[in-house]
Amino acid sequence: MSNPKILLVDDEKDILELVGFNLEKEGFEVHTAADGKSALDIARKIQPDVVLLDVMMPEMDGMETCREMREDPKLKNVMIAFLTARGEDYSQVAGFDAGADDYIQKPIKTRILISRIK
């Protein structure tokens, strides 16, 4: 069996590098995108097992990206978790309303993140 594929989407390069490095170290195949539009293109190509999605991004925010993924027949069963600094109740509710399976607040310890992904 191949390694689970994770699409990590964040407009902060440091987050992509740090989280991506730690996920790869755990054996995940990591793909990254810096905005929602490119995340959709990559997701359609690679069919990820899990998408970790930031809320606040340029061009297309995480909520819109999540909704579009849920409307795409190829992506509707992908596990989607928001990984974001936004911790307000209304933001979490909006994330679940958009179709997310989980909502994880940054900062998060790497071991906890990996445990939640598994």
Side-chain angles (χ1 to χ4, degrees), residues 50-116:
V50 176
V51 176
L52 294 176
L53 196 53
D54 189 20
V55 172
M56 298 175 287
M57 294 182 294
E59 281 202 47
M60 179 187 284
D61 71 16
M63 299 291 176
E64 190 180 341
T65 305
C66 183
R67 273 191 287 278
E68 287 216 20
M69 284 183 178
R70 288 296 180 228
E71 289 170 9
D72 187 320
K74 285 184 177 175
L75 301 173
K76 70 176 188 204
N77 295 320
V78 169
M79 293 291 293
I80 299 174
F82 281 104
L83 180 60
T84 180
R86 308 244 358 213
E88 308 88 358
D89 290 353
Y90 69 85
S91 187
Q92 291 185 43
V93 169
F96 288 117
D97 286 348
D101 297 296
D102 201 357
Y103 195 101
I104 304 165
Q105 196 171 341
K106 289 187 228 169
I108 185 169
K109 290 181 172 65
T110 304
R111 294 179 85 124
I112 294 170
L113 176 63
I114 288 163
S115 176
R116 287 178 79 158

Side-chain angles (χ1 to χ4, degrees), residues 8-23 30 32-33 52-54 83-85 106-108 113:
L8 178 59
V9 188
D10 201 303
D11 59 330
E12 289 184 48
K13 195 172 191 253
D14 293 351
I15 299 283
L16 293 177
E17 287 176 4
L18 180 69
V19 176
F21 172 79
N22 284 301
L23 292 172
V30 179
T32 60
L52 294 176
L53 196 53
D54 189 20
L83 180 60
T84 180
K106 289 187 228 169
I108 185 169
L113 176 63

